[in-house]
Amino acid sequence: MLSKEEFFKTGEIVNLAEAAVHEELQALIDRAEIEFCQCDKCLFDIACVVLNTIPSLYSSSIADRTYPSAEFKADYEKLKKLAAVEIPQAIERIRDRLHH
Ligand SMILES: [Zn+2]
């Protein structure tokens, strides 16, 4: 079996919750509705708070990701909606303890 570093570095295992959070965070920034620090450190913090809150959606099949089933697509859309709700809450939570 591959070492832990090699195992995960293959990129075969993907948590689509990460993509959902990134997509929704970018959408929120583009809408410019909420004012908050958008440096990498703060965005990493926000992403971690949200990722610890919403369920993960792991996939080890590039075929599933390239040609997702209706069920897979629905799961991803559900995660995006959850992320959209959780991101503003995460921003409020970390606002008072910024790292810079
Ligand atoms: Zn910042």
Side-chain angles (χ1 to χ4, degrees), residues 53-74:
T53 307
I54 69 174
S56 47
L57 179 62
Y58 278 99
S59 159
S60 64
S61 163
I62 190 153
D64 282 355
R65 296 196 295 274
T66 311
Y67 309 103
S69 64
E71 192 188 350
F72 198 91
K73 264 189 207 163

Side-chain angles (χ1 to χ4, degrees), residues 37-42 98 100:
C37 179
Q38 295 170 13
C39 78
D40 285 345
K41 184 75 184 98
C42 287
L98 297 179
H100 49 83

